[in-house]
């Protein structure tokens, strides 16, 4: 499949099946904005959930926060964004990509910015976390949230948009230990890529001239998108740049006091920064598959089951046989679970239903047929469980289904 075809197919599938729509579409759209539909939201929630569990919940050294999108403009002056967060335009001018806004009315109004990264909300809460939780170094603060950049040319679907979501960690360490924790986070990011089904990540060690103003070492995790190899995530050693600058500008000490050694110092920072939307595009591109099944070509998403928007679909073999429908509804009710989505579908013939579920990446399809009702006594109270990738079906006892799809 040509790569340009792949991109078109992904965009068309995303729209047709309710994953991702163009923002403000009925008004002709707004460049660089995208709306997630019912399946897209489920997929996105699953990605964020897996990240949160892996990067925050499962670790003793992590603290989660959810900070404001609009912050005091001094934050962006101290962080260097007001002076330096710019992209050159075609005419060679400097153009700052932060969205400016005003807060308050009349003479009281002040200028502010929509945050271009979630990281600064973490740095300005560093002292709050120290005071509330007294963590020992190393420890990290994490958040998932929206970020905004007035990109000069938003493009490539959700790859480069003006409003997007980030999953970021600021991990605070002693300066002497930065390399060790940089390596540890590097491994964690690779592990995460595998869990969510992203294939073929390449690392790029970013050279001095291309690194952000605050960083002494950055690795770009690049993905082979259909439009070329591009940055998916970043891992940066931000030194003590942010805490030191916020300390200086705010006059509030952001030092860490080590009770054991009696030392007082500004911690250094390792930052794994992952864009949610670029992650989703990489998942779609990694898992979009075309093959031939039963003499027909089909397209499907080979999503890991934890990522798929729907875990299992339940079908009565025929829609017009009430005894099948009642039994299938019963199975559906027994499988409903707060941790994943189960759907009931009796629309169209069974082959079409399988194709529809394949296309959105549903790993399991369960069919209630006449054998379930006892037509073949040997198979009473069993259903067929179909595997998305192979199309193979096996009979499973209704009582064992829950375990089978877990
Ligand atoms: P690029 O060089 O592609 O503009 P960046 O180096 O400016 O990206 P960072 O500032 O490192 O990006 O942001 C961290 C992460 O946020 C990126 O790795 C990416 O996943 C995501 N991200 C950044 N800008 C965008 C955008 N405009 N649209 C979608 N995601 C983005």
């Amino acid at each position: 499949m040509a790569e340009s075809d792949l991109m078109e197919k992904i965009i068309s599938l995303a729209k047709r099946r309710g994953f991702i729509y163009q923002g403000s579409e009925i008004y002709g759209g707004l460049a660089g904005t995208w709306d997630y539909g019912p399946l897209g939201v489920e997929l996105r929630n699953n990605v964020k959930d897996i990240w949160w569990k892996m990067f925050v919940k499962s670790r003793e050294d992590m603290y989660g926060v959810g900070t404001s999108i609009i912050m005091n403009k001094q934050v962006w002056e101290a962080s260097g964004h007001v002076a330096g967060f710019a992209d050159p335009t075609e005419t060679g001018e400097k153009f700052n990509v932060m969205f400016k806004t005003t807060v308050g009315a009349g003479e009281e109004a002040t200028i502010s910015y929509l945050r271009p990264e979630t990281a600064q909300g973490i740095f300005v809460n560093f002292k709050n976390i120290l005071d509330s939780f007294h963590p020992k170094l190393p420890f990290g603060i994490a958040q998932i949230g929206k970020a905004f950049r007035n990109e000069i040319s938003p493009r490539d679907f959700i790859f480069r948009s003006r409003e997007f979501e980030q999953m970021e960690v600021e991990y605070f360490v002693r300066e002497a230990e930065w390399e060790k924790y940089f390596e540890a986070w590097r491994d964690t990011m690779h592990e995460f890529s595998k869990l969510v089904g992203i294939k073929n990540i390449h690392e790029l060690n970013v050279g001095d001239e291309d690194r952000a103003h605050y960083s002494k070492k950055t690795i770009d995790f690049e993905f082979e998108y259909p439009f070329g190899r591009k940055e998916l995530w970043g891992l940066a050693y931000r030194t003590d740049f942010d805490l030191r600058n916020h300390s200086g500008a705010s006059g509030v000490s952001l030092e860490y006091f080590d009770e054991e050694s009696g030392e007082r110092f500004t911690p250094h920072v390792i930052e794994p920064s992952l864009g949610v939307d670029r992650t989703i595009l990489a998942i779609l591109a990694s898992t979009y598959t075309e093959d031939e099944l039963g003499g027909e070509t089909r397209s499907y998403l080979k999503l890991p089951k934890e990522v798929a928007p729907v875990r299992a679909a339940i079908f009565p073999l025929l829609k017009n046989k009430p005894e099948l429908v009642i039994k299938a509804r019963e199975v559906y009710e027994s499988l409903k679970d707060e941790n994943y989505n189960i759907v009931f579908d009796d629309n169209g013939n069974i082959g079409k239903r399988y194709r529809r579920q394949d296309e959105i990446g549903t790993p399991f399809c369960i069919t209630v047929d006449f054998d379930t009702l006892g037509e073949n006594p040997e198979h009473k109270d069993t259903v067929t469980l179909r595997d998305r990738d192979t199309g193979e079906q096996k009979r499973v006892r209704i009582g064992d289904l829950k375990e089978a799809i877990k």
Side-chain angles (χ1 to χ4, degrees):
M1 190 185 341
E3 294 294 271
S4 56
D5 285 358
L6 173 60
M7 200 56 192
E8 265 172 39
K9 284 175 177 171
I10 289 172
I11 295 172
S12 138
L13 185 149
K15 177 171 164 58
R16 194 173 62 249
R17 301 308 312 277
F19 283 86
I20 299 163
Y21 309 112
Q22 193 184 358
S24 314
E25 193 178 359
I26 62 167
Y27 287 101
L30 175 67
T33 65
W34 297 94
D35 293 344
Y36 282 71
L39 296 185
V41 166
E42 294 298 334
L43 173 65
R44 187 169 71 177
N45 284 345
N46 289 344
V47 167
K48 291 195 282 185
D49 202 43
I50 293 169
W51 186 89
W52 193 260
K53 280 185 185 141
M54 186 169 178
F55 284 67
V56 188
K57 254 190 180 168
S58 63
R59 302 175 57 122
E60 277 184 63
D61 56 349
M62 291 298 304
Y63 299 83
V65 292
T67 72
S68 301
I69 285 171
I70 301 174
M71 302 172 80
N72 189 315
K73 79 174 193 314
Q74 288 172 280
V75 171
W76 305 109
E77 287 161 0
S79 68
H81 284 81
V82 170
F85 203 56
D87 278 344
T89 60
E90 273 175 15
T91 56
E93 290 167 51
K94 279 288 189 191
F95 172 69
N96 195 306
V97 300
M98 281 198 294
F99 278 100
K100 216 182 234 180
T101 187
T102 44
V103 178
E107 289 189 357
E108 306 274 288
T110 54
I111 284 180
S112 187
Y113 302 93
L114 303 188
R115 66 183 179 201
E117 59 175 27
T118 61
Q120 298 304 325
I122 293 179
F123 293 123
V124 300
N125 279 285
F126 175 75
K127 186 172 183 308
N128 283 333
I129 300 297
L130 283 187
D131 293 347
S132 307
F133 299 92
H134 310 287
K136 295 247 176 309
L137 281 188
F139 72 92
I141 307 178
Q143 84 167 322
I144 298 178
K146 290 268 188 174
F148 302 81
R149 295 182 191 178
N150 198 1
E151 298 278 1
I152 294 169
S153 41
R155 60 184 173 276
D156 297 323
F157 194 34
I158 51 173
F159 175 80
R160 186 174 301 287
S161 35
R162 291 185 166 134
E163 172 176 343
F164 55 97
E165 216 167 359
Q166 292 183 316
M167 309 181 280
E168 293 198 304
V169 167
E170 305 306 323
Y171 197 71
F172 302 97
V173 303
R174 287 179 174 74
E175 182 176 4
E177 293 185 323
W178 77 265
E179 271 164 312
K180 173 170 137 194
Y181 292 108
F182 191 95
E183 290 308 314
W185 282 110
R186 186 182 193 166
D187 291 345
T188 305
M189 289 167 80
H190 281 293
E191 217 180 298
F192 176 72
S193 73
K194 292 198 186 86
L195 270 188
V196 294
I198 297 176
K199 288 188 211 131
N200 295 330
I201 284 186
H202 306 271
E203 290 188 3
L204 174 79
N205 203 339
V206 182
D208 290 351
E209 63 289 354
D210 293 328
R211 267 200 314 271
H213 56 278
Y214 48 74
S215 174
K216 262 202 187 156
K217 181 179 169 84
T218 296
I219 289 179
D220 282 352
F221 283 63
E222 295 189 321
F223 177 74
E224 212 66 68
Y225 286 101
F227 42 85
R229 187 184 283 190
K230 295 270 160 62
E231 174 174 338
L232 166 65
W233 307 322
L235 174 64
Y237 167 40
R238 286 181 87 126
T239 67
D240 60 354
F241 177 88
D242 300 273
L243 288 182
R244 203 163 22 82
N245 282 347
H246 285 309
S247 225
S250 66
V252 175
S253 165
L254 299 179
E255 285 182 327
Y256 174 84
F257 178 64
D258 186 334
E259 283 172 11
E260 274 162 38
S261 66
E263 291 168 281
R264 198 178 280 283
F265 58 93
T266 307
H268 281 232
V269 172
I270 308 297
E271 178 195 69
S273 175
L274 295 83
V276 174
D277 313 82
R278 285 190 191 179
T279 304
I280 286 173
L281 185 53
I283 292 173
L284 293 176
S286 296
T287 61
Y288 183 90
T289 312
E290 288 178 353
D291 68 2
E292 209 169 280
L293 193 69
E296 270 183 57
T297 43
R298 65 160 180 167
S299 57
Y300 67 107
L301 296 175
K302 221 170 175 167
L303 296 172
K305 62 180 188 312
E306 295 76 10
V307 173
V310 174
R311 178 67 65 95
I314 323 297
F315 311 140
L317 180 64
L318 300 170
K319 179 188 189 160
N320 56 1
K321 296 283 175 205
E323 59 277 33
L324 289 177
V325 175
I326 289 168
K327 191 71 188 170
R329 279 258 164 224
E330 246 176 56
V331 173
Y332 165 72
E333 290 297 333
S334 75
L335 290 181
K336 275 210 277 186
D337 192 294
E338 62 193 24
N339 295 310
Y340 43 76
N341 284 313
I342 303 287
V343 300
F344 178 89
D345 185 8
D346 61 3
N347 202 355
N349 73 43
I350 195 87
K352 283 213 178 99
R353 287 182 238 161
Y354 286 145
R355 294 295 173 279
R356 270 207 302 274
Q357 294 300 329
D358 288 347
E359 201 181 25
I360 63 167
T362 305
F364 303 108
C365 286
I366 294 161
T367 303
V368 170
D369 57 14
F370 292 105
D371 280 7
T372 314
L373 305 177
E375 198 166 281
N376 175 350
E378 229 181 274
H379 289 158
K380 189 164 169 12
D381 287 328
T382 67
V383 291
T384 64
L385 178 68
R386 176 179 174 277
D387 177 88
R388 174 197 63 204
D389 300 349
T390 61
E392 277 166 19
Q393 302 184 28
K394 58 179 181 187
R395 293 209 77 91
V396 175
R397 300 201 65 75
I398 292 173
D400 296 336
L401 274 178
K402 197 137 201 165
E403 198 53 40
I405 65 170
K406 237 186 202 166

